């Protein structure tokens, strides 16, 4: 039996964690484009080697270097401003008044960062966002960042829309952007990372297995999974928010079901605070799930809850599904990817929250006049995506 020594194996691919080094820049429309071909978006498929693809993607997203690059002060990119996506967005979050809070305590102890409005404790209304378990803090969809703009694919456009909206209260709602994705503690880098970032950490060779994840050393107490993170975040809210503050909640992807389950379990304690909830999903619940809920929360969910589903229909189109979800269902305007629901549907969600805040006793009507089959378009589109992925030889992890 023969074996190859590690020094004879292919080296782990390396990519610089800066835009210029990767061959890209940010144009005047806040879009990442190729330096060589300014009309070309980020090219993911540069190789047939999956390790090369994930390393290049992580370098673009912001890199796995043990020392993160320094903040860049510019709000819009230039030829000399080469920070990648996460480092580019961080000062913009600060510019919008979103401060980073570490839970349960700051470094050097293991912690999970979240984004919180600077005047969080004084605001009468708060919007809490729980995103998918694969997304970085403040990121809705890297796909949207690559295709549309940095602001559209992150929470920036959403926060700006809320701040510009005319609310009943003289003060705009505050924000808490939870961090359901970065729940792995990278000890060498001394920061929380997502599973995709963990998979792209530097290895001795390009064919080495993914670094083993220790269930104790690489986890943060109270944030071991999405359910624990939601419970810990809501406990922090209870301590730091005004006692009479009204709270609107958004859940996306796999976090949405965990959010709703948490609300049901804690309904008696939170029923006077929770005002409305909207979730974005790509699958159906069963009736048995609804029947297991308490009567009080089930009634609230039917009156003040909305589900935004994958659909080719225009955003806000009423869809069939109330029988399965227990509340009204609407098209997100996104036919294919759960991660893109929020960038497409946040304006509708914002209008819904505004309606609840403005109209005393507001309740969703149980049967909108026109209902569209919510599964028709998404099923046909799913087949197209799988066929395209097979043709490319790519792996589709989530659709």
């Amino acid at each position: 039996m023969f074996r190859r020594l590690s020094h004879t194996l292919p080296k782990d691919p390396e990519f610089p964690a800066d835009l210029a080094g990767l061959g890209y820049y940010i144009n005047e429309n806040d879009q990442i484009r190729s330096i060589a071909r300014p009309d070309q978006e980020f090219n993911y498929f540069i190789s047939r080697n999956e390790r090369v693809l994930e390393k290049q993607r992580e370098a673009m997203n912001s890199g796995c270097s043990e020392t993160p690059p320094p903040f860049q002060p510019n709000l819009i990119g230039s030829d000399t401003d080469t920070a990648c996506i996460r480092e580019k967005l961080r000062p913009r979050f600060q510019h919008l008044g979103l401060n980073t809070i570490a839970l349960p305590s700051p470094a050097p102890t293991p912690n999970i960062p979240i984004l919180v409005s600077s005047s969080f404790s004084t605001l009468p209304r708060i919007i809490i966002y729980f995103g998918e378990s694969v997304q970085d803090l403040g990121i809705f969809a890297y796909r949207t960042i690559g295709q549309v703009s940095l602001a559209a694919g992150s929470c920036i456009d959403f926060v700006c829309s809320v701040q510009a909206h005319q609310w009943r209260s003289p003060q705009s709602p505050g924000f808490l952007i939870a961090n359901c994705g970065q729940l792995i503690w990278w000890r060498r880098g001394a920061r929380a990372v997502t599973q995709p970032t963990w998979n792209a950490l530097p290895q001795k060779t390009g064919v080495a297995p993914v670094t083993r994840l220790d269930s104790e050393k690489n986890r943060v107490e109270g944030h071991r999974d999405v359910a624990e993170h939601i419970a810990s975040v809501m406990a922090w809210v209870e301590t730091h928010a005004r006692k009479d503050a009204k709270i609107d909640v958004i859940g996306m992807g796999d976090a949405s079901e965990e959010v709703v389950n948490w609300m049901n379990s804690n309904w008696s304690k939170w029923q006077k605070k929770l005002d409305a909830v909207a979730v974005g999903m790509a699958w159906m619940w069963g009736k048995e799930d609804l029947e297991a809920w308490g009567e009080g929360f089930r009634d609230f969910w039917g009156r003040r809850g909305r589900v935004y589903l994958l659909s080719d229909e225009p955003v806000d189109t009423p869809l069939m599904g109330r029988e399965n979800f227990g509340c009204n269902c609407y098209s997100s305007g996104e036919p294919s990817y759960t991660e893109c629901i929020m960038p497409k549907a946040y304006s509708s969600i914002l209008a819904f929250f505004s309606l609840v805040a403005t109209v005393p006793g507001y309740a969703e009507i149980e049967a909108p006049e026109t209902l569209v089959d919510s599964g028709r378009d998404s099923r046909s589109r799913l087949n197209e995506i799988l066929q395209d992925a097979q043709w490319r030889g790519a792996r589709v992890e989530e659709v």
Side-chain angles (χ1 to χ4, degrees):
M1 180 176 179
F2 297 92
R3 67 182 180 89
R4 293 182 62 177
L5 299 177
S6 59
H7 71 274
T8 69
L9 295 172
K11 292 184 178 181
D12 198 27
E14 294 184 3
F15 292 91
D18 70 85
L19 287 177
L22 292 170
Y24 294 89
Y25 76 108
I26 298 178
N27 65 17
E28 64 277 5
N29 297 318
D30 200 28
Q31 298 170 320
I32 297 175
R33 293 295 183 262
S34 169
I35 294 175
R37 298 181 59 184
D39 60 334
Q40 186 179 55
E41 301 171 0
F42 173 67
N43 181 20
Y44 174 72
F45 295 102
I46 62 171
S47 170
R48 290 182 177 273
N49 186 319
E50 188 172 349
R51 181 62 176 171
V52 173
L53 299 183
E54 69 180 7
K55 290 283 286 187
Q56 186 211 204
R57 177 183 61 190
E58 182 57 31
M60 171 60 72
N61 291 351
S62 206
C64 289
S65 60
E66 297 183 16
T67 303
F71 290 168
Q72 300 290 340
N74 297 11
L75 295 182
I76 299 295
S78 65
D79 291 337
T80 59
D81 188 5
T82 60
C84 283
I85 294 174
R86 290 197 293 267
E87 297 305 321
K88 174 70 70 176
L89 290 174
R90 198 183 309 190
R92 300 197 196 185
F93 295 155
Q94 295 175 341
H95 181 75
L96 291 174
L98 297 176
N99 298 329
T100 302
I101 303 294
L103 300 180
S105 58
T109 58
N111 64 87
I112 305 297
I114 61 174
L115 295 174
V116 179
S117 295
S118 55
S119 54
F120 183 88
S121 61
T122 65
L123 296 172
R125 180 169 292 276
I126 298 165
I127 297 176
I128 303 178
Y129 174 79
F130 295 98
E132 290 187 298
S133 62
V134 294
Q135 299 295 352
D136 288 290
L137 179 61
I139 304 293
F140 290 159
Y142 282 111
R143 188 184 307 275
T144 304
I145 286 177
Q147 295 175 349
V148 185
S149 71
L150 274 77
S154 67
C155 65
I156 292 176
D157 274 357
F158 173 64
V159 171
C160 290
S161 295
V162 173
Q163 292 176 345
H165 187 78
Q166 295 297 319
W167 295 86
R168 185 178 182 180
S169 169
Q171 290 180 292
S172 298
F175 297 93
L176 189 154
I177 309 296
N179 194 354
C180 295
Q182 296 175 333
L183 299 183
I184 300 174
W185 181 251
W186 180 27
R187 293 188 294 163
R188 183 179 299 175
R191 66 179 187 267
V193 299
T194 63
Q195 187 65 58
T197 297
W198 180 266
N199 294 344
L201 292 179
Q203 302 289 352
K204 292 183 178 180
T205 71
V207 294
V210 175
T211 304
R212 185 177 67 87
L213 188 62
D214 190 293
S215 59
E216 293 298 326
K217 296 178 180 179
N218 298 120
R219 293 297 182 184
V220 178
E221 188 66 31
H223 304 267
R224 297 179 182 277
D225 55 32
V226 174
E228 281 195 12
H229 179 66
I230 291 171
S232 296
V233 166
M234 297 306 291
W236 187 90
V237 171
E238 183 180 14
T239 303
H240 292 79
R242 277 175 44 168
K243 299 301 180 183
D244 61 342
K246 292 296 183 181
I247 297 174
D248 299 320
V249 178
I250 302 172
M252 286 290 144
D254 50 354
S256 57
E257 190 168 1
E258 297 291 354
V259 167
V260 174
N261 288 336
W262 181 90
M263 290 181 179
N264 174 60
S265 300
N266 296 271
W267 179 244
S268 60
K269 186 177 182 180
W270 285 80
Q271 58 182 317
K272 294 183 178 179
K273 287 181 172 291
L274 297 174
D275 218 25
V277 56
V279 301
M281 303 181 67
W283 60 89
M284 290 286 186
W285 288 336
K287 291 184 179 179
E288 61 276 8
D289 296 323
L290 304 180
E291 294 171 355
W293 292 350
E295 184 177 349
F297 176 71
R298 189 163 57 242
D299 175 67
F300 167 81
W301 175 250
R303 294 182 295 105
R304 297 286 184 90
R306 281 191 179 188
V307 173
Y308 288 83
L309 298 171
L310 295 179
S311 175
D312 280 329
E313 300 293 334
V315 64
D316 244 1
T317 301
L319 301 178
M320 298 172 63
R322 187 178 179 90
E323 184 177 352
N324 293 90
F325 286 105
C327 69
N328 286 350
C329 300
Y330 296 86
S331 169
S332 64
E334 166 56 39
S336 306
Y337 302 101
T338 309
E339 66 177 3
C340 296
I341 289 180
M342 188 61 181
K344 294 283 186 69
Y346 75 76
S347 295
S348 176
I349 295 174
L350 174 58
F352 169 53
F353 287 168
S354 179
L355 199 60
V356 171
T358 304
V359 180
Y362 174 83
E364 289 272 276
I365 59 175
E366 292 192 9
E369 295 181 0
T370 304
L371 294 175
V372 178
D373 181 359
S374 59
R376 180 194 61 196
D377 296 321
S378 57
R379 282 193 298 269
S380 61
R381 180 59 181 147
L382 173 62
N383 292 330
E384 293 176 9
I385 293 170
L386 293 177
Q387 291 173 4
D388 179 66
Q390 186 177 12
W391 177 80
R392 290 175 178 267
R395 183 181 65 184
V396 177
E397 297 180 351
E398 180 184 358
V399 179

